[in-house]
Amino acid sequence: MAGMKIAFYGMALMLACLVLCGHMDAARTPTPTPTPPSLVPPIPPEMTALRDKLWPALSDAARGWAADEAVKVAKDARYTEIMIRGDVQNRFTGQGLSEGDKSTLLFIILNDASKAMGDDLMTMANDFVKKAQAQHPNATPPPDGNVSITLAPQDMQALQTVMQRRATYLAAMTTVAKRLPGLQVSVVGSLK
């Protein structure tokens, strides 16, 4: 079920990107418009609820580290799920982490990184719209409200890269969430 939601969000995101980037209506003169709110699908509510349920189980030190790790992961395109797992293991070496503890930290980091990346995508899209508005200050949107914005290839590549990484993190987060109920989480609250 969650996998289908992610696939749906991914398709909606790609369609929104195509519209935003001008591929759906090449004949129309590009005119600026506010960024549609559906450009970046939200993290599924059940994933946010699970994150909010797990967060209080972390010690203050683990919370601080997880928050910093999520920011680092969101900004660095090289990070993969395996690298995040390695960071968790390295940071808490010798503290007796169970698989549940590792998965809890991984889930929270993936969730928070996905949220940060969604915020980054919205910022990027808003910047593209502002740039288009500056290029066409007197343009009026068509009656149907659908407008196109032409992006430079490097802008399109940057947008696609972040969208793809976020979709990968959301899929990994769903997989980790499925395993969490069956794992014993015992040490996370006492991590230093």
Side-chain angles (χ1 to χ4, degrees):
M1 178 76 152
M4 291 179 69
K5 283 184 181 178
I6 290 174
F8 173 76
Y9 288 141
M11 290 187 316
L13 188 58
M14 290 306 288
L15 180 60
C17 181
L18 290 172
V19 170
L20 180 68
C21 298
H23 295 285
M24 294 296 287
D25 192 2
R28 182 173 286 156
T29 303
T31 54
T33 188
T35 304
S38 63
L39 178 65
V40 180
I43 294 172
E46 64 273 14
M47 296 297 151
T48 301
L50 180 57
R51 184 252 184 233
D52 293 344
K53 180 180 171 186
L54 294 171
W55 185 253
L58 299 179
S59 67
D60 289 339
R63 281 188 203 137
W65 179 82
D68 291 344
E69 183 75 0
V71 169
K72 181 172 75 173
V73 166
K75 299 294 180 194
D76 190 340
R78 298 171 295 169
Y79 262 88
T80 63
E81 178 186 353
I82 293 169
M83 293 171 74
I84 300 167
R85 281 185 184 278
D87 284 355
V88 168
Q89 187 63 44
N90 289 337
R91 169 56 180 86
F92 299 105
T93 298
Q95 295 191 37
L97 286 179
S98 69
E99 282 305 310
D101 296 328
K102 293 174 191 175
S103 293
T104 296
L105 286 164
L106 176 63
F107 178 84
I108 288 171
I109 292 165
L110 288 169
N111 187 294
D112 291 0
S114 295
K115 182 182 180 324
M117 292 167 73
D119 294 345
D120 290 347
L121 280 167
M122 286 305 296
T123 299
M124 290 169 69
N126 287 330
D127 289 347
F128 296 145
V129 169
K130 287 177 186 174
K131 183 178 175 182
Q133 287 173 335
Q135 291 173 346
H136 305 283
N138 298 325
T140 46
D144 64 3
N146 293 328
V147 294
S148 298
I149 298 174
T150 304
L151 296 178
Q154 67 272 15
D155 293 338
M156 183 65 168
Q157 180 66 36
L159 189 64
Q160 287 176 333
T161 299
V162 175
M163 289 168 45
Q164 184 177 21
R165 285 183 54 234
R166 185 171 187 261
T168 300
Y169 287 168
L170 289 172
M173 188 173 61
T174 301
T175 302
V176 172
K178 289 177 187 175
R179 292 190 309 237
L180 281 175
L183 296 173
Q184 181 66 26
V185 179
S186 59
V187 182
V188 174
S190 63
L191 293 177
K192 296 178 172 118

